[in-house]
Amino acid sequence: MKTIYIIYQIFIALPVLLVASLLTALTTALGCMVAGGHFWGYYPPALWGWLFTRVLLLPVKVEGRQHLEQGQSYVFVANHQGAFDIFLIYGFLHRSFRWMMKWQLRKIPLVGYACEKSHQIMVDKRSLSRIRTTYEQARQTLQGGTSVVVFPEGARTFTGHMGVFRKGAFALADELQLPVVPMTINGSFQVLPRTRKLPFVSWHRLTLTIHQPIYPVGQGPDNVQATMHQAYQSVMSSLEPRFQGYVENPDQ
């Protein structure tokens, strides 16, 4: 079955997904240029994320959508198990949002351009002024009613375990007094770990667990630290038992 699945990926899934990725990037970029990013910056990529998992025949389970309120903007934080985290969140969160992503992703041909035109938030830490620009864009996004999604580890895991959380997203939520929503991703590491040399995926269920929002109980460093700790514990609580526990990530 494994050999058949690889053959399927080469001759069917890969051509379909390459065309879908090209069309999504073009549609997103042109749509945002002509009609704005509210619709075109989210719905084409969301369909692309859904299509990626379906074409690759990956089962998906989502838990906890009932915790989210309509019209409320959130700071979503999730563990970063692998590349398929992107497709899972895009395709199945069912919530308009913008990513906070590494600025280096802007260099990806066409995809990076589409990210820029759709107002994804490029996290650039090369200077203090660029950091300020990043957080000002995030503030404007959240104040405009759109949520943001952040991987507070800042890098994909090498082992399936979680590293440490950085406080940037939690400080932003504290400043704007917005709820933080922890999310646990399971299965992405097994589908395509970052250490795999050949980019063939393994068949495995993907699970997205949306935890209850953490509302601010104050403002300042104590609230930031408490929210970050609570979010970390929530994400950890739903990880598969073999991936629970902290393991240092040298890429952080």
Side-chain angles (χ1 to χ4, degrees):
M1 287 299 294
K2 183 177 180 180
T3 301
I4 294 174
Y5 190 44
I6 291 175
I7 293 172
Y8 169 81
Q9 290 177 55
I10 295 172
F11 293 104
I12 298 178
L14 181 60
V16 170
L17 294 175
L18 283 175
V19 172
S21 298
L22 178 62
L23 290 176
T24 299
L26 286 171
T27 301
T28 299
L30 292 174
C32 290
M33 290 170 63
V34 174
H38 182 72
F39 179 90
W40 295 100
Y42 171 68
Y43 286 99
L47 178 60
W48 170 73
W50 177 88
L51 184 68
F52 233 91
T53 62
R54 293 315 187 205
V55 170
L56 288 166
L57 311 177
L58 300 172
V60 174
K61 181 180 180 181
V62 181
E63 301 173 320
R65 282 204 198 100
Q66 71 275 11
H67 299 317
L68 305 180
E69 298 179 13
Q70 291 296 326
Q72 172 69 57
S73 58
Y74 295 103
V75 177
F76 292 97
V77 296
N79 60 312
H80 204 359
Q81 281 210 331
F84 273 75
D85 301 344
I86 308 297
F87 311 125
L88 179 61
I89 293 174
Y90 250 148
F92 297 92
L93 180 56
H94 293 181
R95 194 84 178 192
S96 181
F97 66 87
R98 297 295 179 267
W99 294 101
M100 292 187 71
M101 59 175 60
K102 292 181 177 180
W103 67 271
Q104 292 92 332
L105 297 176
R106 174 62 181 84
K107 298 179 181 180
I108 301 175
L110 192 57
V111 172
Y113 182 73
C115 288
E116 179 183 351
K117 290 302 178 182
S118 59
H119 307 295
Q120 308 303 325
I121 302 161
M122 304 291 181
V123 180
D124 191 342
K125 298 181 179 179
R126 289 176 293 176
S127 69
L128 185 58
S129 64
R130 286 172 171 155
I131 293 173
R132 288 172 178 161
T133 299
T134 295
Y135 279 92
E136 181 56 34
Q137 185 182 356
R139 288 187 195 99
Q140 292 176 3
T141 298
L142 288 162
Q143 289 172 337
T146 301
S147 299
V148 299
V149 174
V150 187
F151 295 119
E153 293 168 278
R156 288 171 293 160
T157 178
F158 285 95
T159 64
H161 295 78
M162 286 169 57
V164 298
F165 276 4
R166 306 301 186 189
K167 71 176 183 179
F170 304 96
L172 181 64
D174 174 75
E175 178 184 337
L176 299 177
Q177 290 290 280
L178 290 173
V180 171
V181 178
M183 300 190 297
T184 304
I185 293 170
N186 280 298
S188 181
F189 180 75
Q190 293 95 320
V191 169
L192 188 63
R194 68 180 297 181
T195 53
R196 183 172 295 167
K197 294 181 180 180
L198 295 177
F200 295 116
V201 307
S202 299
W203 189 91
H204 197 281
R205 177 185 294 276
L206 294 167
T207 303
L208 178 65
T209 303
I210 304 167
H211 298 276
Q212 291 188 359
I214 304 169
Y215 287 87
V217 294
Q219 191 167 24
D222 289 344
N223 181 60
V224 172
Q225 197 64 35
T227 303
M228 183 167 63
H229 176 74
Q230 186 176 346
Y232 192 92
Q233 294 303 316
S234 294
V235 175
M236 182 73 75
S237 70
S238 291
L239 276 176
E240 293 182 33
R242 61 173 166 158
F243 294 134
Q244 291 192 0
Y246 165 75
V247 173
E248 182 180 4
N249 186 338
D251 203 21
Q252 287 194 299

